[in-house]
Amino acid sequence: MTARAIRCGTLFDGTGAAPVRNAVVTVDHGRITAVGSTMPPGVEALDLGDRFVMPGLIDCHSHASIVPGQGDQLGQLCRGPVPQALAATRNLRHDLARGTTTMRIMGEEHFVDVDLRDGIEAGVITGPRLLIAGRGLAANNGHGRALASYDGVDDVRRGARENLRRGANHVKIFVTGGVSSPGTTPTASAYTREEIRAAVEEADRVGTYAAAHAHGGPGLRLAVQEGVGTIEHGALADDEDIALMIERRVWLITTFAIFMHPDGIEGGDGQRPAIMDKMRWARRVVAENFPRHLASGVRFACGTDAVHGAMPFEMQTLVRLGVTPQHALLAATRWGAEACRIVKDVGTLEVGKRADLIAIDGDPLKDMAAMERVSLVMKDGVTHDGSGREPR
Ligand SMILES: [Zn+2]
């Protein structure tokens, strides 16, 4: 891998600095070695002088193997490992081509996410860098239960420990009910305080954190009180919940595409009234509550929840719900890196960080729809153009 100097029409570096015209980013051995304004001599040039260049996108909440638009997400998770791996290979290639260079996986069966992460790292398949959870911890009668459930403090500990032994980066626990499972209530807690505490303790003790699927109600409050690092979805969080999240520095991870994109839940389960009633309700609630969450100043980042390739949609939705374009770009980059605790490595274009960047035809700060036109993706200094050709 040779050094390359990238001429950027406009550079948005994710640090909070104003965009810079005609900047030059130099990369070598997968890392950024310089950010300046002149092309260094003797270095291969990559001319993106007509494009908007920004850090690669960080999808903070996804699932590799499932496609919500095909319906019955839990049924998809119950397939064998080979169909899961094949589907994930296709899904992750698409995510990368659309600009996602890092993705946090929030629960898979058969530990396929371990093999996917390692396969991508080894160059066997193409996809975003993965942070993985292994199996999501779900109660027997809870949302997110696929092949296994974990009930009682000891069982939750065992599940967390097995995930961590196999190499999970974080622990995922499904605390409240969900939208895509017919029998669960998004505000009811499936877990007791003690069970949630066990998951948090096991994660904390090995230097990582627990992430809680929680829409709202007592389950969300318990998860925040017991010290999870991120609240996933969180659309029903009330003012007191949000105040506590701010106090405890808990991140809110928004996932709008799964509810709002036509290829989300609606695409697959649009004919199931028990799910669609909850969906319509969730859409209304998100539109009502998110502007209030935004005004509170709670820290947030975003994810697609397995609507593969939909980070541009997620960012456009943020803007539609009142986020400034600059903050939408930060939510999809640096803030995501902070929420996932990897900001030392990715999330901004600064010397020493991984050479993860994307080039866009157009200016998303003027029109967020430009995010639909990602024309080059670089991950670890290797470029991918979305054509399926070999990377270089
Ligand atoms: Zn999810």
Side-chain angles (χ1 to χ4, degrees), residues 304-350:
T304 60
D305 208 356
V307 186
H308 297 283
M311 277 298 278
F313 177 90
E314 205 66 37
M315 296 163 75
Q316 291 169 80
T317 306
L318 287 176
V319 170
R320 191 163 58 74
L321 293 174
V323 177
T324 65
Q326 195 212 5
H327 284 177
L329 297 192
L330 291 175
T333 57
R334 191 184 88 217
W335 294 350
E338 290 177 7
C340 299
R341 306 190 183 187
I342 49 171
V343 75
K344 278 202 181 86
D345 224 26
V346 297
T348 63
L349 299 177
E350 294 176 280

Side-chain angles (χ1 to χ4, degrees), residues 48-106:
L48 303 176
D50 55 350
R51 284 177 258 178
F52 185 97
V53 175
M54 61 180 282
L57 305 179
I58 298 177
D59 183 341
C60 289
H61 183 128
S62 195
H63 304 268
S65 65
I66 61 178
V67 175
Q70 292 174 357
D72 189 15
Q73 295 180 52
L74 292 168
Q76 291 183 46
L77 276 175
C78 293
R79 293 172 301 184
V82 173
Q84 310 257 36
L86 293 173
T89 301
R90 174 201 56 204
N91 297 341
L92 295 171
R93 189 195 301 131
H94 182 53
D95 284 305
L96 181 69
R98 297 272 287 162
T100 298
T101 50
T102 303
M103 177 182 276
R104 194 170 62 136
I105 302 293
M106 301 309 277

